Amino acid sequence: MKKVFYVALALVLALVLLASCSSYGETLNKVSDLLKQDYSKLTVSVTSVRDGLELTALFNVEFGEKTTVNYTVKEMSKLNIEGGNPDSYINEYSGSAVVENGKLTENGKETDLPIEGLNFGEFNFSERNFSDIEATATSLKAKVTDPKGFAGNNSFVASDMKLTALFSAEAISELTVEYTSQNGANVLTVYRFE
Amino acid sequence: MTQRKKLSLVMSCVLILVLACAMILPFANRSVAIAEPPTVSDRESWVNPYDGSYYDNLNTDKRGTAFRSDLANLITTTHKHQTTYDELKTVYKTSDADPNKSGNVIWFYTGTSAQYTGDMDSGNYPTNREHVWPKQAGAAFPEKSQAGSDAHHLRPLNTQLNSTRNNHQFGEVAQTTSNRVYQSGTARNYGTTDPDTWCYLSGNYFYPAKGYRGATARILFYVQTRWGDVSKLSFVLGEGYSKTIGDIETLMKWHLQEPPTDQEIRRNEVVFGIQGNRNPFIDHPEYAEMIYCNDNQSYSNTLKNVVAKYGSYLNNNVPPIPDDDPTALTLSVSSLQLKVGESSQQITVTAVPQGANNSVVWSTTDERVATVANGIVRAVGTGTATITATSTAVSSVKATLTVTVSAPSVTSLAITPNPLTLTQGGTRQLSVTAYPAGADNSVSWSSGNDNVATVSPTGLVTAVGEGTAIITATSNENGNIKATVTVTVTSTSQPPVVEDVQPFIDSVTAIESTQTLEERYDALNKAINLYNALSNEGKQRVTQQYNALVEAVQAYNSQVAPYNDDLHEATEFASQATALTISAVLLALFAIVTKKLWR
């Protein structure tokens, strides 16, 4: 009789385990974990649109012993009364940087920026930060109800934030986050991993 | 039994159950072959293989809604078995089996052959059920019954591509890299190296790979005929939504260009065996034009033109006209005469033969002379350039025009130095600048008072007597364009005029009239450059205007700062994707942008 009790107890425990495996939390945790894996390439595209003006920052990152970052940025040109200003009011520039041993070298010159001193949080995929979650084995779509919590940054203000992730069992392939900034800009951030 | 043994038994059971649970979790499906789209027969060689009796009782003299009604009745009354949504998992094993690879199915839209076990949405390359007519979350028709589970309608498709296609309408979009649909979000596309085997997506339109365009149209014709009355489904020109779908003009074109493939015909037989009804537009492609060209809808006449162009299936499959590749192009103008700063009217491209694809890429031989975009030529500098329109369909087919750019018409003149003070007997050479830049600056000089100052035909002023005189320069090109300088003649020496500061003063004045941020930036930058080119003495003479310029620059910088702040904040946010394995790079990335954006 006691054996039957213990087997039944084991079954209940297993069912509890299975039930916990099937929640959205598992998918969110999976995406969070996949983001922490090593990848050989990463493309980050940031687009900000306000009043019809589109500004962009594009970063192509190749990881290795020396990690290379090729970047292209389109920003509004600011004017210097002393001259030497860009020809256009929107200035596009690009460059290449290498990160090695935590130090950044751009165009052959080591930067004096305190890279190692900078510290940011990471995206928080806790289920309480989301609503309207749609998850399959390879995709996740959700509204981000708490952008501050998701960004891990209490000073970050955004609205209408949505997140989409595409992934396989082994890797995340694409992560998209779009939102409206506190200034009213429509922001789209796309990560592509390889 | 001891407590240790009891605990051991419980843990063993849990372990076994968890392992069993793990074993049923989906495994990665790596058996994905390169897509092999079906061969698309040209219309001349295509022969309808269907010779059954399914349609024998139809009155094929009818047209439009009358014929559609009869056909709908036939495929509804013979639809004896309505497949369930779940049942499709099994149906696909035969209906969409790859005849060349056992255990694989062929994904719709791409032709990719993928290993298929019957499980949905599992593995690295998972398969699920594509509603070719978007179900729109059940708003168009029931998601998992009726049209939502009809085997003639739902096709096996890669899960991610299904999500990418989403509710997009069908249409042709530019076959560019940015529009291409990539496999599982990577740089791998679904097809071969032939761009026609790739899928594209732009705006609200999805463009399937070659070999699946005609098939897409025939599925939608079936859905509209079989389920259109039940769920109120109809076609539209352009974009549809939910119960309407488009673009019917493109769908009819695809239907005419791509006759039913072996895959479609094979599949129709399998589903016929299961459901009891057939997709009549595969067996009788001519039914589509018999119905939709004649049902008196807003698209009917458009579809008649499409059929006229691409060939009717009626009348024993009259061969269609050849594909729409052009053999030659002609432009609406063969040469252009423009002045610097001017733009042409839109140049139209006509393809030969009539109706052929007239899509082109524009280019210029010298961007310093003329640029071209969307058929509009803009004159940049004096000289001659050749503008070329190259067919996007056939790169060897081109048309050219010559553009000759001359100096712009003069709109204003400026004289330097201005004003001018001379002592009696003194001379000074005047110079004249014509605007806009590059305009003809030849002028005729005249003096308003030869007793005070005379001026030579070349602009040399000679001070004759004390007083003031107005010297006028009149444009030789346009006598209405003039500039004047006041010459003051004194009897004693006066401090020499250092230089002309008027252009700078004018440039500061012009700032006020700017409308857009771009115009304001250009005006401010011009004024800054003019100011910095002045000598110290010149700068001392324009202190008031300079202060106004500084104020305007500060106001401009304050105005644009929020735009960069948006990008600043967005990039900072982007760098937070993870703080672990790639943190150093993302922090570096942030540092780069910080340095550049907020200098």
Side-chain angles (χ1 to χ4, degrees):
Chain A
M1 192 64 186
K2 281 185 179 176
K3 274 186 185 177
V4 173
F5 169 76
Y6 287 124
V7 170
L9 177 64
L11 279 170
V12 168
L13 283 171
L15 285 172
V16 168
L17 274 172
L18 277 174
S20 64
C21 287
S22 63
S23 69
Y24 290 128
E26 183 188 18
T27 306
L28 292 164
N29 288 337
K30 180 178 180 180
V31 172
S32 180
D33 290 343
L34 291 176
L35 274 174
K36 295 167 186 169
Q37 289 185 176
D38 287 336
Y39 295 86
S40 60
K41 290 182 183 175
L42 166 65
T43 301
V44 183
S45 164
V46 181
T47 306
S48 166
V49 182
R50 184 148 70 102
D51 300 335
L53 281 172
E54 182 179 286
L55 304 181
T56 58
L58 177 66
F59 301 89
N60 287 305
V61 186
E62 287 197 24
F63 298 95
E65 288 184 11
K66 287 183 180 179
T67 294
T68 306
V69 184
N70 292 309
Y71 62 93
T72 302
V73 177
K74 276 171 72 175
E75 61 169 12
M76 299 293 288
S77 304
K78 285 194 173 181
L79 284 161
N80 186 332
I81 195 70
E82 292 178 5
N85 296 305
D87 289 333
S88 172
Y89 80 121
I90 292 182
N91 185 33
E92 179 176 313
Y93 58 84
S94 57
S96 183
V98 173
V99 180
E100 189 176 19
N101 299 325
K103 293 183 187 296
L104 173 71
T105 304
E106 189 183 11
N107 299 325
K109 293 180 182 175
E110 189 171 311
T111 177
D112 56 358
L113 290 168
I115 297 170
E116 289 166 328
L118 295 170
N119 185 26
F120 296 104
E122 56 185 303
F123 289 165
N124 184 338
F125 283 84
S126 171
E127 195 167 352
R128 66 174 179 272
N129 293 330
F130 301 91
S131 71
D132 299 317
I133 300 172
E134 294 176 33
T136 71
T138 58
S139 68
L140 169 70
K141 285 184 183 177
K143 289 182 180 174
V144 182
T145 51
D146 183 4
K148 290 179 194 286
F150 175 63
N153 180 350
N154 273 334
S155 61
F156 178 70
V157 179
S159 59
D160 300 326
M161 181 178 279
K162 296 171 201 160
L163 173 141
T164 306
L166 303 174
F167 51 85
S168 67
E170 292 85 15
I172 189 163
S173 57
E174 191 170 292
L175 177 70
T176 303
V177 183
E178 56 183 311
Y179 60 88
T180 302
S181 78
Q182 58 183 327
N183 291 327
N186 293 319
V187 176
L188 176 65
T189 303
V190 181
Y191 304 85
R192 296 186 108 190
F193 298 86
E194 288 184 48
Chain B
M1 188 181 287
T2 65
Q3 284 296 95
R4 182 181 292 275
K5 282 183 179 175
K6 289 173 187 171
L7 182 62
S8 175
L9 175 63
V10 169
M11 294 312 294
S12 298
C13 289
V14 170
L15 183 62
I16 290 165
L17 284 164
V18 169
L19 284 173
C21 168
M23 286 175 71
I24 64 168
L25 290 175
F27 289 97
N29 175 4
R30 296 186 178 282
S31 179
V32 176
I34 295 294
E36 291 290 352
T39 302
V40 177
S41 305
D42 59 50
R43 285 283 303 281
E44 288 184 56
S45 63
W46 187 78
V47 177
N48 187 347
Y50 182 73
D51 58 359
S53 58
Y54 184 78
Y55 306 95
D56 284 357
N57 294 326
L58 275 181
N59 180 353
T60 53
D61 292 332
K62 291 185 178 179
R63 292 291 184 271
T65 53
F67 182 67
R68 182 193 164 281
S69 178
D70 289 355
L71 190 59
N73 184 54
L74 173 64
I75 63 177
T76 300
T77 54
T78 56
H79 195 166
K80 301 296 187 187
H81 174 72
Q82 295 198 10
T83 48
T84 65
Y85 191 67
D86 198 53
E87 187 181 354
L88 292 175
K89 295 178 186 175
T90 307
V91 171
Y92 290 158
K93 289 183 178 179
T94 47
S95 64
D96 295 272
D98 181 351
N100 299 315
K101 189 158 187 177
S102 176
N104 276 26
V105 293
I106 298 173
W107 283 341
F108 196 56
Y109 298 139
T110 67
T112 308
S113 175
Q115 191 179 60
Y116 180 72
T117 62
D119 290 331
M120 292 283 116
D121 301 325
S122 63
N124 268 357
Y125 300 92
T127 297
N128 64 11
R129 291 152 285 205
E130 160 72 350
H131 296 77
V132 178
W133 190 307
K135 60 184 183 297
Q136 206 82 42
F141 44 76
E143 289 186 68
K144 296 182 179 178
S145 63
Q146 298 183 9
S149 67
D150 189 323
H152 281 303
H153 174 205
L154 276 73
R155 302 295 292 265
L157 182 65
N158 168 257
T159 299
Q160 190 242 333
L161 182 57
N162 189 339
S163 172
T164 301
R165 189 259 154 153
N166 202 353
N167 297 321
H168 292 96
Q169 302 290 290
F170 291 102
E172 294 182 358
V173 303
Q175 294 180 319
T176 61
T177 302
S178 60
N179 287 346
R180 197 187 314 167
V181 176
Y182 292 98
Q183 193 173 132
S184 300
T186 72
R188 298 186 299 275
N189 53 62
Y190 285 94
T192 67
T193 55
D194 179 359
D196 275 343
T197 67
W198 302 337
C199 295
Y200 298 87
L201 183 70
S202 180
N204 284 329
Y205 287 106
F206 180 77
Y207 192 9
K210 188 177 182 181
Y212 292 92
R213 298 165 191 165
T216 296
R218 285 180 283 277
I219 288 172
L220 297 176
F221 293 149
Y222 167 84
V223 172
Q224 200 280 326
T225 305
R226 171 65 184 89
W227 298 106
D229 297 332
V230 176
S231 296
K232 311 295 181 199
L233 305 175
S234 60
F235 289 110
V236 290
L237 292 166
E239 293 176 28
Y241 178 77
S242 188
K243 289 182 179 294
T244 59
I245 196 164
D247 165 41
I248 180 64
E249 183 179 5
T250 306
L251 290 167
M252 182 62 81
K253 174 188 167 186
W254 292 348
H255 171 62
L256 297 167
Q257 282 184 323
E258 292 188 357
T261 63
D262 289 347
Q263 280 182 18
E264 287 180 83
I265 294 165
R266 188 170 61 241
R267 192 179 195 283
N268 201 20
E269 291 300 333
V270 173
V271 177
F272 171 55
I274 296 169
Q275 295 193 160
N277 69 342
R278 305 182 65 88
N279 181 335
F281 302 98
I282 295 172
D283 298 328
H284 287 284
E286 69 275 17
Y287 287 178
E289 55 198 88
M290 288 166 61
I291 295 172
Y292 298 110
C293 292
N294 299 286
D295 57 357
N296 295 322
Q297 297 296 312
S298 58
Y299 51 71
S300 298
N301 286 334
T302 302
L303 298 190
K304 285 178 184 173
N305 292 334
V306 174
V307 172
K309 181 175 178 182
Y310 293 97
S312 169
Y313 281 107
L314 285 165
N315 307 321
N316 298 322
N317 294 337
V318 173
I321 60 170
D323 62 39
D324 64 353
D325 285 350
T327 55
L329 298 172
T330 58
L331 303 179
S332 54
V333 292
S334 58
S335 64
L336 283 172
Q337 305 284 336
L338 295 174
K339 292 185 175 180
V340 172
E342 289 182 340
S343 293
S344 71
Q345 299 286 322
Q346 172 118 38
I347 299 163
T348 57
V349 181
T350 305
V352 178
Q354 188 176 9
N357 184 348
N358 69 342
S359 174
V360 297
V361 174
W362 294 95
S363 61
T364 176
T365 55
D366 194 341
E367 290 195 337
R368 294 167 301 179
V369 174
T371 59
V372 60
N374 299 321
I376 296 174
V377 178
R378 183 169 180 271
V380 177
T382 56
T384 303
T386 301
I387 303 296
T388 302
T390 303
S391 166
T392 56
V394 186
S395 59
S396 60
V397 176
K398 302 176 181 183
T400 62
L401 68 90
T402 303
V403 56
T404 304
V405 179
S406 56
S409 299
V410 60
T411 58
S412 64
L413 299 169
I415 300 171
T416 53
N418 189 2
L420 175 62
T421 301
L422 291 172
T423 55
Q424 265 182 300
T427 61
R428 184 69 183 267
Q429 178 66 49
L430 297 176
S431 64
V432 65
T433 303
Y435 294 98
D440 180 9
N441 69 343
S442 63
V443 295
S444 298
W445 295 97
S446 61
S447 171
N449 189 343
D450 284 342
N451 293 325
V452 173
T454 60
V455 61
S456 75
T458 60
L460 181 67
V461 177
T462 301
V464 178
E466 277 188 79
T468 58
I470 305 295
I471 303 294
T472 302
T474 303
S475 167
N476 291 339
E477 179 188 324
N478 183 344
N480 293 322
I481 307 294
K482 300 179 180 183
T484 61
V485 56
T486 300
V487 178
T488 303
V489 178
T490 61
S491 58
T492 55
S493 295
Q494 297 289 323
V497 173
V498 180
E499 62 192 301
D500 180 21
V501 295
Q502 195 59 43
F504 168 72
I505 294 170
D506 291 343
S507 71
V508 173
T509 304
I511 292 167
E512 287 302 317
S513 62
T514 56
Q515 301 289 323
T516 65
L517 283 174
E518 184 174 14
E519 290 172 354
R520 177 149 293 218
Y521 179 90
D522 291 341
L524 288 166
N525 200 20
K526 178 183 177 183
I528 290 170
N529 291 336
L530 286 170
Y531 176 80
N532 287 319
L534 294 175
S535 68
N536 288 336
E537 286 178 287
K539 288 176 179 174
Q540 287 174 4
R541 293 167 53 203
V542 294
T543 306
Q544 184 182 345
Q545 289 80 7
Y546 174 72
N547 289 337
L549 174 61
V550 170
E551 200 171 304
V553 165
Q554 288 172 343
Y556 177 85
N557 284 343
S558 298
Q559 191 177 357
V560 302
Y563 294 85
N564 286 345
D565 289 345
D566 288 334
L567 189 62
H568 169 183
E569 182 183 275
T571 309
E572 181 181 356
F573 172 80
S575 71
Q576 298 180 176
T578 172
L580 298 175
T581 54
I582 60 173
S583 62
V585 173
L586 290 172
L587 293 177
L589 172 158
F590 174 72
I592 291 167
V593 177
T594 304
K595 189 175 109 183
K596 292 294 184 187
L597 289 177
W598 302 286
R599 58 179 177 234

